Amino acid sequence: MAIVSSYSESCGNASFTKILHDTIRQYSGYEVEVVELDLPILQSIDTSIRAAATRHVDDLCRRLAQFDYVNIQLEAGLYGTLPGDIFQRLRKLMKANPNTSVTLHSPRIIPNPTAKRNAIKQLLSLRLKSALHSLMADYQAGIHTRLNSRLVRELARNGHTAIVHTERAKRQISTFFGYDNVYVHPLRLVQEGFQSSTATLDKVKANLNLEKGAVLIGMFGYISRNKGHFDALEALSQLPGNYKLAIFGRQHPQTIRSDGSKDDYLSALVQTVKNSRLLRGRVFFLGELSDDQFMQVASAVDVAWLPYYENGQDGSGIASITMDVCGRVLASASFAFDELMKLIPYNNVVRFDIGNDLELATKTQMIMSQAVPTKPFGDESTYNIRSQALAYVQASKARR
Protein backbone atom coordinates (compact mmCIF):
# COMPACT_ATOMS: atom_id res chain seq x y z
CA MET A 1 0.00 0.00 0.00
CA ALA A 2 1.25 3.47 -0.87
CA ILE A 3 0.48 6.71 0.98
CA VAL A 4 0.99 9.90 -1.06
CA SER A 5 1.90 12.74 1.28
CA SER A 6 4.58 14.97 2.69
CA TYR A 7 6.82 12.97 5.04
CA SER A 8 10.19 14.43 5.93
CA GLU A 9 8.85 17.99 6.19
CA SER A 10 7.81 19.65 9.45
CA CYS A 11 4.04 19.71 9.05
CA GLY A 12 0.87 18.13 10.38
CA ASN A 13 0.35 15.98 7.30
CA ALA A 14 3.81 14.46 7.66
CA SER A 15 3.22 13.64 11.33
CA PHE A 16 -0.14 12.04 10.57
CA THR A 17 1.36 10.08 7.67
CA LYS A 18 4.02 8.63 9.97
CA ILE A 19 1.28 7.42 12.33
CA LEU A 20 -0.69 5.93 9.43
CA HIS A 21 2.39 4.20 8.03
CA ASP A 22 3.26 2.57 11.35
CA THR A 23 -0.25 1.61 12.47
CA ILE A 24 -1.42 0.17 9.14
CA ARG A 25 1.62 -2.11 9.19
CA GLN A 26 1.01 -2.95 12.85
CA TYR A 27 -2.70 -3.76 12.67
CA SER A 28 -3.19 -5.05 9.14
CA GLY A 29 0.11 -6.71 8.29
CA TYR A 30 0.24 -4.74 5.01
CA GLU A 31 3.52 -3.50 3.66
CA VAL A 32 3.28 0.28 3.52
CA GLU A 33 5.42 2.79 1.64
CA VAL A 34 5.18 6.58 1.75
CA VAL A 35 5.44 8.06 -1.73
CA GLU A 36 6.76 11.44 -0.75
CA LEU A 37 5.83 14.73 -2.35
CA ASP A 38 8.64 17.15 -3.21
CA LEU A 39 7.08 20.27 -1.70
CA PRO A 40 9.63 22.91 -2.82
CA ILE A 41 9.14 21.85 -6.44
CA LEU A 42 5.38 21.44 -6.26
CA GLN A 43 4.79 24.77 -4.51
CA SER A 44 6.91 26.87 -6.85
CA ILE A 45 5.22 29.16 -9.41
CA ASP A 46 8.39 29.56 -11.51
CA THR A 47 7.71 28.29 -15.06
CA SER A 48 10.79 26.08 -15.32
CA ILE A 49 10.27 24.58 -11.87
CA ARG A 50 6.60 23.93 -12.62
CA ALA A 51 7.78 21.87 -15.58
CA ALA A 52 9.97 19.89 -13.17
CA ALA A 53 6.92 19.47 -10.93
CA THR A 54 5.02 17.94 -13.86
CA ARG A 55 7.81 15.41 -14.35
CA HIS A 56 7.80 14.71 -10.61
CA VAL A 57 4.05 13.98 -10.63
CA ASP A 58 4.38 11.76 -13.73
CA ASP A 59 7.08 9.78 -11.92
CA LEU A 60 4.85 9.42 -8.86
CA CYS A 61 2.04 8.11 -11.08
CA ARG A 62 4.30 5.44 -12.56
CA ARG A 63 5.26 4.33 -9.06
CA LEU A 64 1.68 4.30 -7.79
CA ALA A 65 0.57 2.02 -10.64
CA GLN A 66 2.72 -0.76 -9.12
CA PHE A 67 0.94 -0.86 -5.75
CA ASP A 68 -2.07 -2.92 -4.75
CA TYR A 69 -3.65 0.01 -2.94
CA VAL A 70 -3.06 3.77 -2.73
CA ASN A 71 -4.12 6.49 -0.33
CA ILE A 72 -3.73 10.18 -1.27
CA GLN A 73 -3.53 12.67 1.57
CA LEU A 74 -5.32 15.67 0.10
CA GLU A 75 -4.37 18.98 1.62
CA ALA A 76 -4.44 21.17 -1.49
CA GLY A 77 -1.39 23.25 -0.61
CA LEU A 78 0.83 20.16 -0.70
CA TYR A 79 0.26 19.82 -4.44
CA GLY A 80 0.89 23.35 -5.62
CA THR A 81 0.20 27.05 -5.28
CA LEU A 82 -1.95 27.75 -8.34
CA PRO A 83 -5.43 26.12 -8.33
CA GLY A 84 -5.05 24.89 -11.91
CA ASP A 85 -1.77 23.16 -11.09
CA ILE A 86 -3.24 21.56 -7.97
CA PHE A 87 -6.22 20.16 -9.84
CA GLN A 88 -4.25 18.79 -12.80
CA ARG A 89 -1.66 17.13 -10.57
CA LEU A 90 -4.23 15.50 -8.32
CA ARG A 91 -6.27 14.45 -11.33
CA LYS A 92 -3.24 12.54 -12.64
CA LEU A 93 -2.54 10.96 -9.26
CA MET A 94 -6.17 9.84 -8.89
CA LYS A 95 -6.00 8.09 -12.26
CA ALA A 96 -2.74 6.29 -11.49
CA ASN A 97 -4.26 3.34 -9.62
CA PRO A 98 -7.90 2.12 -9.59
CA ASN A 99 -7.71 1.02 -5.94
CA THR A 100 -7.31 4.47 -4.43
CA SER A 101 -8.74 6.29 -1.44
CA VAL A 102 -8.46 10.05 -0.94
CA THR A 103 -8.35 11.70 2.49
CA LEU A 104 -10.01 15.13 2.40
CA HIS A 105 -8.61 17.15 5.31
CA SER A 106 -10.25 20.45 4.31
CA PRO A 107 -13.37 19.55 2.29
CA ARG A 108 -14.81 23.06 1.97
CA ILE A 109 -17.51 22.84 -0.71
CA ILE A 110 -20.12 25.30 0.61
CA PRO A 111 -19.08 28.98 0.49
CA ASN A 112 -19.28 30.84 3.80
CA PRO A 113 -21.73 33.73 3.29
CA THR A 114 -20.31 35.88 6.11
CA ALA A 115 -17.83 37.90 4.03
CA LYS A 116 -20.40 38.61 1.32
CA ARG A 117 -23.00 39.69 3.90
CA ASN A 118 -20.45 42.01 5.50
CA ALA A 119 -19.62 43.50 2.10
CA ILE A 120 -23.28 44.26 1.41
CA LYS A 121 -23.70 45.96 4.80
CA GLN A 122 -20.51 47.98 4.27
CA LEU A 123 -21.56 49.06 0.78
CA LEU A 124 -24.92 50.23 2.10
CA SER A 125 -23.07 52.21 4.77
CA LEU A 126 -20.71 53.65 2.09
CA ARG A 127 -17.67 52.06 3.76
CA LEU A 128 -16.15 51.27 0.41
CA LYS A 129 -12.66 50.26 1.57
CA SER A 130 -14.04 47.79 4.12
CA ALA A 131 -16.45 46.43 1.53
CA LEU A 132 -13.58 45.84 -0.90
CA HIS A 133 -11.66 43.88 1.76
CA SER A 134 -14.73 41.74 2.47
CA LEU A 135 -15.30 41.06 -1.21
CA MET A 136 -11.65 40.03 -1.64
CA ALA A 137 -11.96 37.67 1.35
CA ASP A 138 -15.09 36.16 -0.20
CA TYR A 139 -13.34 35.74 -3.56
CA GLN A 140 -10.31 34.03 -1.98
CA ALA A 141 -12.54 31.67 0.01
CA GLY A 142 -14.44 30.88 -3.18
CA ILE A 143 -11.22 29.73 -4.86
CA HIS A 144 -10.89 26.96 -2.27
CA THR A 145 -14.50 25.83 -2.43
CA ARG A 146 -14.49 25.73 -6.25
CA LEU A 147 -11.25 23.73 -6.28
CA ASN A 148 -12.59 21.28 -3.70
CA SER A 149 -15.78 20.80 -5.70
CA ARG A 150 -13.77 19.95 -8.82
CA LEU A 151 -11.63 17.51 -6.86
CA VAL A 152 -14.62 15.74 -5.29
CA ARG A 153 -16.22 15.37 -8.74
CA GLU A 154 -12.97 13.91 -10.07
CA LEU A 155 -12.75 11.53 -7.13
CA ALA A 156 -16.33 10.37 -7.75
CA ARG A 157 -15.75 10.05 -11.50
CA ASN A 158 -12.93 7.61 -10.77
CA GLY A 159 -15.02 5.65 -8.24
CA HIS A 160 -12.50 6.23 -5.45
CA THR A 161 -13.32 6.19 -1.75
CA ALA A 162 -13.27 9.50 0.12
CA ILE A 163 -12.14 9.57 3.74
CA VAL A 164 -13.34 12.54 5.78
CA HIS A 165 -13.15 13.47 9.45
CA THR A 166 -16.77 14.47 10.13
CA GLU A 167 -20.30 13.29 9.44
CA ARG A 168 -21.03 16.80 8.18
CA ALA A 169 -18.50 16.43 5.36
CA LYS A 170 -19.97 13.06 4.40
CA ARG A 171 -23.49 14.53 4.27
CA GLN A 172 -22.36 17.45 2.12
CA ILE A 173 -20.62 15.19 -0.39
CA SER A 174 -23.73 13.00 -0.57
CA THR A 175 -26.09 15.97 -0.89
CA PHE A 176 -24.20 18.03 -3.47
CA PHE A 177 -22.52 15.31 -5.51
CA GLY A 178 -24.78 12.29 -4.99
CA TYR A 179 -21.76 10.27 -3.93
CA ASP A 180 -21.88 7.92 -0.94
CA ASN A 181 -18.60 6.03 -1.11
CA VAL A 182 -17.34 8.00 1.87
CA TYR A 183 -15.72 6.77 5.08
CA VAL A 184 -15.76 8.88 8.26
CA HIS A 185 -12.97 8.72 10.81
CA PRO A 186 -11.68 11.50 13.06
CA LEU A 187 -7.93 12.04 13.29
CA ARG A 188 -6.23 9.74 15.80
CA LEU A 189 -2.52 10.18 16.49
CA VAL A 190 -1.80 8.83 19.98
CA GLN A 191 -0.59 5.26 19.99
CA GLU A 192 -2.09 2.60 22.25
CA GLY A 193 -0.21 2.32 25.51
CA PHE A 194 1.03 5.91 25.50
CA GLN A 195 2.67 6.73 28.83
CA SER A 196 2.83 10.36 29.87
CA SER A 197 5.93 11.78 31.51
CA THR A 198 6.75 15.14 33.07
CA ALA A 199 10.49 14.86 32.37
CA THR A 200 10.59 17.12 29.30
CA LEU A 201 8.37 19.79 30.83
CA ASP A 202 10.26 19.64 34.12
CA LYS A 203 13.42 20.64 32.25
CA VAL A 204 11.54 23.51 30.59
CA LYS A 205 10.22 24.73 33.93
CA ALA A 206 13.66 24.56 35.50
CA ASN A 207 15.19 26.57 32.64
CA LEU A 208 12.43 29.18 32.92
CA ASN A 209 12.92 29.36 36.68
CA LEU A 210 9.19 29.41 37.28
CA GLU A 211 8.05 30.20 40.80
CA LYS A 212 6.43 27.57 42.98
CA GLY A 213 2.70 27.50 42.36
CA ALA A 214 2.94 28.67 38.74
CA VAL A 215 0.12 27.45 36.49
CA LEU A 216 1.53 26.64 33.06
CA ILE A 217 -0.80 26.99 30.07
CA GLY A 218 0.30 25.35 26.81
CA MET A 219 -0.40 26.28 23.20
CA PHE A 220 0.97 24.11 20.41
CA GLY A 221 1.54 24.03 16.66
CA TYR A 222 2.41 26.58 14.00
CA ILE A 223 2.11 30.23 14.96
CA SER A 224 -0.55 31.32 12.49
CA ARG A 225 -3.62 33.55 12.43
CA ASN A 226 -6.27 30.89 12.91
CA LYS A 227 -4.75 29.69 16.20
CA GLY A 228 -6.08 32.63 18.25
CA HIS A 229 -2.85 33.76 19.93
CA PHE A 230 -4.05 37.33 20.47
CA ASP A 231 -7.15 36.05 22.24
CA ALA A 232 -4.83 33.97 24.42
CA LEU A 233 -2.80 37.05 25.35
CA GLU A 234 -5.96 38.99 26.22
CA ALA A 235 -7.18 36.11 28.39
CA LEU A 236 -3.82 35.75 30.12
CA SER A 237 -3.78 39.45 31.00
CA GLN A 238 -7.00 38.90 32.99
CA LEU A 239 -5.65 35.93 34.95
CA PRO A 240 -3.58 36.11 38.17
CA GLY A 241 0.16 36.64 37.77
CA ASN A 242 1.05 33.03 38.56
CA TYR A 243 -0.60 31.92 35.29
CA LYS A 244 2.03 31.62 32.52
CA LEU A 245 1.65 30.90 28.81
CA ALA A 246 4.13 28.64 27.00
CA ILE A 247 3.85 28.75 23.20
CA PHE A 248 5.38 25.59 21.76
CA GLY A 249 5.56 26.08 18.01
CA ARG A 250 7.28 27.88 15.19
CA GLN A 251 6.43 30.28 12.43
CA HIS A 252 4.60 28.54 9.59
CA PRO A 253 7.14 27.77 6.81
CA GLN A 254 4.90 29.35 4.17
CA THR A 255 5.07 32.71 5.98
CA ILE A 256 8.88 32.84 5.93
CA ARG A 257 9.86 35.65 3.58
CA SER A 258 12.77 35.47 1.19
CA ASP A 259 13.52 39.21 1.51
CA GLY A 260 14.60 38.89 5.14
CA SER A 261 11.61 40.77 6.57
CA LYS A 262 9.56 39.55 9.52
CA ASP A 263 6.16 37.93 9.38
CA ASP A 264 3.54 40.55 10.30
CA TYR A 265 1.48 38.26 12.54
CA LEU A 266 4.42 36.97 14.56
CA SER A 267 5.95 40.44 14.85
CA ALA A 268 2.69 41.91 16.16
CA LEU A 269 2.40 39.05 18.64
CA VAL A 270 5.91 39.62 20.00
CA GLN A 271 5.41 43.39 20.22
CA THR A 272 2.16 42.94 22.12
CA VAL A 273 3.98 40.90 24.76
CA LYS A 274 6.87 43.36 24.97
CA ASN A 275 4.60 46.38 25.32
CA SER A 276 2.25 44.95 27.94
CA ARG A 277 3.05 45.37 31.62
CA LEU A 278 0.58 42.56 32.39
CA LEU A 279 2.22 40.08 30.00
CA ARG A 280 5.92 40.80 30.42
CA GLY A 281 7.69 37.77 31.94
CA ARG A 282 4.58 35.60 31.62
CA VAL A 283 4.69 34.55 27.94
CA PHE A 284 7.39 32.22 26.63
CA PHE A 285 8.04 31.36 22.98
CA LEU A 286 9.70 27.94 23.23
CA GLY A 287 9.91 26.76 19.63
CA GLU A 288 8.97 23.55 17.90
CA LEU A 289 8.94 20.18 19.62
CA SER A 290 9.46 16.74 18.12
CA ASP A 291 6.32 14.62 17.87
CA ASP A 292 7.26 12.61 20.97
CA GLN A 293 8.20 15.71 22.97
CA PHE A 294 4.94 17.40 22.00
CA MET A 295 2.86 14.52 23.32
CA GLN A 296 4.83 14.42 26.56
CA VAL A 297 4.64 18.18 27.14
CA ALA A 298 0.95 18.38 26.17
CA SER A 299 0.22 15.64 28.72
CA ALA A 300 2.09 17.50 31.46
CA VAL A 301 0.98 21.16 31.22
CA ASP A 302 -1.62 22.29 33.74
CA VAL A 303 -4.05 23.31 31.01
CA ALA A 304 -3.99 23.54 27.21
CA TRP A 305 -5.64 26.26 25.15
CA LEU A 306 -7.11 25.74 21.67
CA PRO A 307 -8.63 29.16 20.85
CA TYR A 308 -8.91 28.32 17.14
CA TYR A 309 -10.80 30.32 14.52
CA GLU A 310 -12.59 28.73 11.57
CA ASN A 311 -10.29 28.03 8.62
CA GLY A 312 -12.15 25.33 6.71
CA GLN A 313 -10.28 22.35 8.14
CA ASP A 314 -12.33 19.48 9.51
CA GLY A 315 -9.53 17.99 11.55
CA SER A 316 -6.56 19.17 13.57
CA GLY A 317 -3.80 16.81 14.60
CA ILE A 318 -2.63 19.24 17.29
CA ALA A 319 -6.12 19.44 18.79
CA SER A 320 -6.66 15.69 18.60
CA ILE A 321 -3.42 14.92 20.44
CA THR A 322 -4.01 17.64 23.03
CA MET A 323 -7.51 16.41 23.84
CA ASP A 324 -6.29 12.83 24.11
CA VAL A 325 -3.37 13.45 26.48
CA CYS A 326 -3.97 16.69 28.44
CA GLY A 327 -6.15 16.55 31.54
CA ARG A 328 -7.60 20.04 31.13
CA VAL A 329 -8.36 21.56 27.72
CA LEU A 330 -10.12 24.79 26.73
CA ALA A 331 -11.34 24.58 23.10
CA SER A 332 -13.17 27.20 21.07
CA ALA A 333 -16.69 26.58 19.81
CA SER A 334 -15.54 26.06 16.23
CA PHE A 335 -17.53 23.91 13.81
CA ALA A 336 -14.61 21.48 13.51
CA PHE A 337 -14.55 20.89 17.28
CA ASP A 338 -18.35 20.64 17.34
CA GLU A 339 -18.18 17.82 14.81
CA LEU A 340 -15.32 16.06 16.59
CA MET A 341 -17.24 16.05 19.88
CA LYS A 342 -20.19 14.32 18.18
CA LEU A 343 -17.92 11.41 17.25
CA ILE A 344 -15.70 11.35 20.34
CA PRO A 345 -17.18 12.76 23.57
CA TYR A 346 -14.41 14.12 25.83
CA ASN A 347 -14.61 14.51 29.62
CA ASN A 348 -11.62 16.89 29.86
CA VAL A 349 -12.66 19.61 27.38
CA VAL A 350 -14.45 22.86 28.19
CA ARG A 351 -15.73 25.01 25.32
CA PHE A 352 -15.87 28.80 24.89
CA ASP A 353 -17.03 31.13 22.11
CA ILE A 354 -14.49 32.00 19.44
CA GLY A 355 -12.78 35.28 20.31
CA ASN A 356 -14.30 35.58 23.81
CA ASP A 357 -11.16 36.10 25.90
CA LEU A 358 -13.24 36.91 29.01
CA GLU A 359 -14.90 33.50 28.82
CA LEU A 360 -11.57 31.80 28.18
CA ALA A 361 -10.04 33.40 31.27
CA THR A 362 -13.03 32.65 33.50
CA LYS A 363 -13.32 29.03 32.44
CA THR A 364 -9.57 28.50 32.81
CA GLN A 365 -9.84 29.37 36.50
CA MET A 366 -12.92 27.20 36.81
CA ILE A 367 -11.29 24.15 35.24
CA MET A 368 -8.16 24.62 37.36
CA SER A 369 -10.32 24.37 40.50
CA GLN A 370 -11.52 20.94 39.43
CA ALA A 371 -9.80 17.56 39.58
CA VAL A 372 -8.37 16.09 36.39
CA PRO A 373 -10.86 13.55 34.93
CA THR A 374 -9.98 9.89 34.67
CA LYS A 375 -8.40 8.46 31.52
CA PRO A 376 -9.14 7.81 28.76
CA PHE A 377 -10.37 11.37 28.32
CA GLY A 378 -12.13 10.55 25.06
CA ASP A 379 -14.48 7.68 24.27
CA GLU A 380 -12.30 5.23 22.34
CA SER A 381 -14.92 2.52 21.89
CA THR A 382 -15.70 3.37 18.25
CA TYR A 383 -12.91 5.58 16.91
CA ASN A 384 -9.37 4.73 17.96
CA ILE A 385 -5.91 4.33 16.48
CA ARG A 386 -6.59 0.72 15.47
CA SER A 387 -9.97 1.45 13.82
CA GLN A 388 -8.32 4.27 11.87
CA ALA A 389 -5.66 1.99 10.42
CA LEU A 390 -8.21 -0.66 9.44
CA ALA A 391 -10.53 1.96 7.95
CA TYR A 392 -7.76 3.05 5.58
CA VAL A 393 -7.22 -0.53 4.46
CA GLN A 394 -10.95 -1.09 3.88
CA ALA A 395 -11.40 2.25 2.14
CA SER A 396 -8.69 1.53 -0.42
CA LYS A 397 -10.48 -1.70 -1.35
CA ALA A 398 -13.95 -0.14 -1.53
CA ARG A 399 -13.91 1.03 -5.13
CA ARG A 400 -17.37 1.98 -6.34
Side-chain angles (χ1 to χ4, degrees):
M1 181 175 182
I3 303 174
V4 182
S5 179
S6 56
Y7 197 55
S8 58
E9 303 286 337
S10 171
C11 71
N13 275 94
S15 297
F16 179 59
T17 299
K18 291 172 186 174
I19 293 292
L20 271 186
H21 173 275
D22 293 347
T23 55
I24 290 174
R25 291 183 66 181
Q26 178 182 354
Y27 295 117
S28 73
Y30 276 42
E31 286 299 315
V32 184
E33 181 178 333
V34 177
V35 177
E36 187 171 5
L37 299 167
D38 191 328
L39 298 191
I41 290 178
L42 291 170
Q43 293 172 346
S44 175
I45 58 174
D46 179 89
T47 302
S48 61
I49 298 178
R50 287 170 66 204
T54 298
R55 294 192 293 272
H56 172 57
V57 171
D58 290 342
D59 178 62
L60 295 182
C61 290
R62 285 190 289 271
R63 292 174 60 189
L64 295 179
Q66 308 304 313
F67 287 88
D68 295 310
Y69 305 105
V70 172
N71 170 256
I72 298 173
Q73 293 288 303
L74 202 170
E75 188 65 66
L78 297 177
Y79 297 88
T81 300
L82 304 176
D85 287 347
I86 295 169
F87 177 75
Q88 292 301 332
R89 291 163 185 173
L90 280 161
R91 187 181 190 186
K92 286 183 178 181
L93 291 168
M94 288 187 201
K95 290 180 178 296
N97 191 306
N99 299 315
T100 295
S101 63
V102 181
T103 303
L104 302 168
H105 290 292
S106 304
R108 290 166 283 186
I109 54 177
I110 300 178
N112 188 327
T114 302
K116 192 166 287 183
R117 286 174 183 164
N118 289 339
I120 293 171
K121 292 177 182 178
Q122 290 154 354
L123 283 170
L124 293 174
S125 303
L126 299 180
R127 289 182 287 152
L128 301 183
K129 187 175 181 180
S130 296
L132 179 61
H133 283 303
S134 295
L135 287 170
M136 287 300 297
D138 179 66
Y139 174 76
Q140 290 175 335
I143 293 173
H144 295 291
T145 55
R146 288 189 294 272
L147 174 60
N148 280 341
S149 293
R150 294 180 71 192
L151 290 170
V152 172
R153 288 192 187 95
E154 188 64 26
L155 178 154
R157 190 176 294 118
N158 284 280
H160 295 327
T161 304
I163 301 174
V164 297
H165 304 311
T166 68
E167 289 288 348
R168 179 185 63 174
K170 179 178 180 177
R171 286 194 305 272
Q172 290 179 353
I173 292 173
S174 175
T175 300
F176 291 99
F177 302 98
Y179 196 66
D180 297 317
N181 188 12
V182 182
Y183 278 53
V184 177
H185 204 290
L187 289 171
R188 309 298 281 157
L189 289 96
V190 179
Q191 293 272 31
E192 289 181 349
F194 168 77
Q195 296 293 320
S196 61
S197 169
T198 64
T200 301
L201 190 61
D202 287 343
K203 291 179 183 178
V204 171
K205 288 181 175 179
N207 290 333
L208 293 176
N209 196 27
L210 295 182
E211 71 269 25
K212 187 177 180 180
V215 176
L216 194 61
I217 302 163
M219 289 183 70
F220 305 92
Y222 285 135
I223 299 175
S224 53
R225 294 181 187 277
N226 70 295
K227 296 291 179 62
H229 294 92
F230 283 100
D231 295 336
L233 297 183
E234 288 290 340
L236 184 67
S237 69
Q238 298 161 51
L239 289 167
N242 65 316
Y243 281 73
K244 316 292 183 182
L245 176 61
I247 299 175
F248 295 95
R250 56 170 284 194
Q251 177 183 354
H252 197 290
Q254 293 185 357
T255 67
I256 297 174
R257 299 177 176 176
S258 58
D259 61 1
S261 60
K262 298 178 181 179
D263 172 61
D264 293 339
Y265 180 79
L266 181 56
S267 295
L269 202 60
V270 171
Q271 284 304 313
T272 299
V273 175
K274 287 181 177 179
N275 296 336
S276 171
R277 178 180 56 82
L278 293 173
L279 296 176
R280 208 171 300 130
R282 299 176 62 197
V283 180
F284 308 99
F285 292 88
L286 297 172
E288 188 175 34
L289 299 169
S290 70
D291 291 343
D292 289 340
Q293 288 175 330
F294 163 41
M295 290 191 190
Q296 294 297 342
V297 170
S299 72
V301 294
D302 295 300
V303 58
W305 280 355
L306 299 169
Y308 288 15
Y309 282 68
E310 285 296 330
N311 71 339
Q313 289 186 325
D314 270 2
S316 164
I318 294 291
S320 176
I321 291 171
T322 302
M323 292 179 184
D324 281 342
V325 303
C326 183
R328 301 183 182 96
V329 180
L330 275 294
S332 66
S334 69
F335 293 132
F337 293 158
D338 287 345
E339 293 296 313
L340 173 60
M341 296 293 187
K342 293 175 184 177
L343 298 175
I344 306 176
Y346 282 93
N347 63 12
N348 60 330
V349 178
V350 173
R351 310 292 299 283
F352 65 94
D353 281 338
I354 295 173
N356 192 336
D357 53 270
L358 285 171
E359 186 181 6
L360 174 56
T362 299
K363 288 187 172 178
T364 297
Q365 288 188 287
M366 290 172 60
I367 200 173
M368 283 303 303
S369 69
Q370 302 167 7
V372 173
T374 56
K375 294 181 180 179
F377 302 128
D379 180 359
E380 299 179 351
S381 60
T382 302
Y383 298 105
N384 50 63
I385 198 80
R386 181 188 181 95
S387 68
Q388 177 175 263
L390 297 179
Y392 270 78
V393 172
Q394 294 163 4
S396 293
K397 296 178 180 179
R399 177 176 171 80
R400 185 162 178 174

